[in-house]
Amino acid sequence: MKRETFYRKNFTSPLCSTLLILAIFFVSEDAQAQKFEPIPLDAEAYGESYTAIADFSDGSYALVQYVFSNAGFGDAKGACRALVVRPGTKGINSAIRVDKDEWSYQAQGNVLKVSDCSLSSSGNTTRFMAKTEDATIELSLQKKPRAVKAPGHRVKVNKEEFYESEIVIPWAKASAKITTGGKKSSHKGMGYMDPSRSNTRLPKVAS
């Protein structure tokens, strides 16, 4: 069998491509650490987010998200979102929104703060704190985020507009303390993290 034919049959399937991408995360320990530093753009359609999702052994589910956007009045606004879904109950989805002077990034310690919410990474642990009116989530993923850009992570709409997304923690052990309705609970499971950034509207990306 020719080398080219062998490659096409064995290394171009969707499953194989996914495995190769995941191998990059788990094998390439020297990849550059992911910075949690939003870089606002001038475009009205600018949007940037850092999202962590965790699936716990008791069937609970949690999402923590930090969002930055130029939409509406004012530029580089920030938001912190907490979503908690417990088995057999209606999910709690709560967020706070702040102006650009109420969020900050500190290079030392790689710390992103959005009001009382925060995102940081130290050693092999990445920590998320989301504190909103209806829910507080303290989530830890036991993995250092790595800025590995998989093929196809960036979609160009035209010469200036783009959408890009990465998975910087593809799968890691997760632990969390969640408070809703005055009740605090502890959870363990698995989770992942992905950032995204764009200066275009999503319908353009899908078209």
Side-chain angles (χ1 to χ4, degrees), residues 3-202:
R3 182 179 301 175
E4 293 80 2
T5 303
F6 178 83
Y7 176 85
R8 285 196 299 270
K9 286 186 176 181
N10 294 279
F11 295 100
T12 58
S13 69
L15 175 59
C16 188
S17 296
T18 300
L19 292 174
L20 286 173
I21 291 169
L22 290 177
I24 293 174
F25 288 106
F26 289 105
V27 176
S28 229
E29 294 294 338
D30 293 331
Q32 182 179 1
Q34 172 71 33
K35 292 183 179 180
F36 304 141
E37 181 180 13
I39 303 177
L41 303 173
D42 293 333
E44 179 68 19
Y46 159 74
E48 189 165 359
S49 67
Y50 299 83
T51 305
I53 294 176
D55 188 14
F56 302 113
S57 57
D58 66 349
S60 298
Y61 167 94
L63 176 148
V64 177
Q65 187 175 54
Y66 312 87
V67 180
F68 306 90
S69 171
N70 288 343
F73 295 102
D75 291 338
K77 298 179 295 295
C80 172
R81 177 187 173 201
L83 171 64
V84 178
V85 181
R86 302 181 190 275
T89 65
K90 184 178 180 180
I92 298 173
N93 188 13
S94 183
I96 60 169
R97 294 169 177 81
V98 300
D99 292 329
K100 63 181 179 181
D101 59 350
E102 295 178 84
W103 66 265
S104 63
Y105 172 74
Q106 181 178 322
Q108 183 176 0
N110 193 22
V111 180
L112 173 62
K113 292 184 177 180
V114 180
S115 186
D116 292 330
C117 303
S118 63
L119 166 60
S120 64
S121 181
S122 176
N124 289 321
T125 302
T126 302
R127 296 178 175 84
F128 308 79
M129 162 65 85
K131 190 173 183 180
T132 67
E133 183 177 353
D134 299 322
T136 297
I137 302 175
E138 300 173 69
L139 172 67
S140 294
L141 297 182
Q142 300 305 311
K143 194 76 175 179
K144 178 172 64 176
R146 295 199 292 272
V148 179
K149 297 182 178 180
H153 80 285
R154 183 181 176 97
V155 177
K156 289 186 178 181
V157 176
N158 52 44
K159 290 184 178 180
E160 296 181 353
E161 297 181 29
F162 69 91
Y163 172 87
E164 60 184 13
S165 179
E166 304 168 20
I167 298 179
V168 296
I169 300 180
W171 201 235
K173 290 182 179 179
S175 60
K177 294 181 179 179
I178 299 175
T179 304
T180 57
K183 296 181 179 180
K184 192 171 186 177
S185 56
S186 298
H187 305 265
K188 291 186 180 297
M190 302 296 291
Y192 83 96
M193 176 189 179
D194 67 90
S196 67
R197 188 166 181 256
S198 74
N199 65 351
T200 190
R201 303 190 186 283
L202 291 182

